[in-house]
Amino acid sequence: MLYVVTGPPAAGKSSWIDAHAKPTDVVIDLDRITTALTGPGAPQWNQHPLALRVAHRARYAAMDEAFQLLDQLDVYLIHTMPSAKHMTKYKRLKARVIVVDPGEAVVMQRIEAMRDAGMQRVAARWYNARRGKPREAMPQASRAW
């Protein structure tokens, strides 16, 4: 089964996966991939743009391989803002889409406390794309911040 976990930056997507995935499941998380590809002491968030470039390539390779194995294992994929094209592909793969959204105020507070200020623009874009649509997610306290 493919689980596509979406939501704004700092919403708690990784925490949701930590609470649901088993050790034998595959987790494709750009933050985790970037951390794995960088040296000791590299930040968990706010990664260097060149490291992110390499991590994106690794992420797409991991997705391609994991999607071929969905009949044998569960795959958890974090995709903050999937395009219509990606959503079509996920639907074809019979993915379960999980939206993690603790609310805009909580997200902005978390970003201010722990992330690069540029992530506020990403979060604002995520929320602006959903204005006027019914809320899909329940507020979630993912962990103590």
Side-chain angles (χ1 to χ4, degrees), residues 66-115:
F67 292 169
Q68 295 178 41
L69 303 172
L70 289 175
D71 59 334
Q72 300 173 57
L73 52 79
D74 287 340
V75 175
Y76 290 80
L77 168 66
I78 291 181
H79 199 153
T80 298
M81 291 190 296
S83 66
K85 179 180 175 183
H86 281 110
M87 289 303 291
T88 299
K89 181 174 186 172
Y90 301 151
K91 185 176 181 178
R92 186 172 35 82
L93 294 170
K94 298 179 174 71
R96 180 172 172 211
V97 177
I98 310 295
V99 179
V100 179
D101 177 15
E104 190 170 2
V106 171
V107 165
M108 293 304 186
Q109 179 185 13
R110 290 176 181 175
I111 290 171
E112 186 175 330
M114 335 173 0
R115 304 281 179 100

Side-chain angles (χ1 to χ4, degrees), residues 6-22:
T6 186
K13 298 179 295 292
S14 296
S15 297
W16 188 92
I17 289 173
D18 290 346
H20 292 86
K22 300 180 302 297

Side-chain angles (χ1 to χ4, degrees), residues 24 57 61 64 70 76 91 94 96 124 127 130-131 142:
T24 55
R57 296 293 296 264
D64 288 342
L70 289 175
Y76 290 80
K91 185 176 181 178
K94 298 179 174 71
R96 180 172 172 211
Y127 283 105
R130 282 147 186 81
R131 299 245 191 266
S142 54

Side-chain angles (χ1 to χ4, degrees), residues 18-30:
D18 290 346
H20 292 86
K22 300 180 302 297
T24 55
D25 295 336
V26 170
V27 175
I28 303 172
D29 175 345
L30 187 62

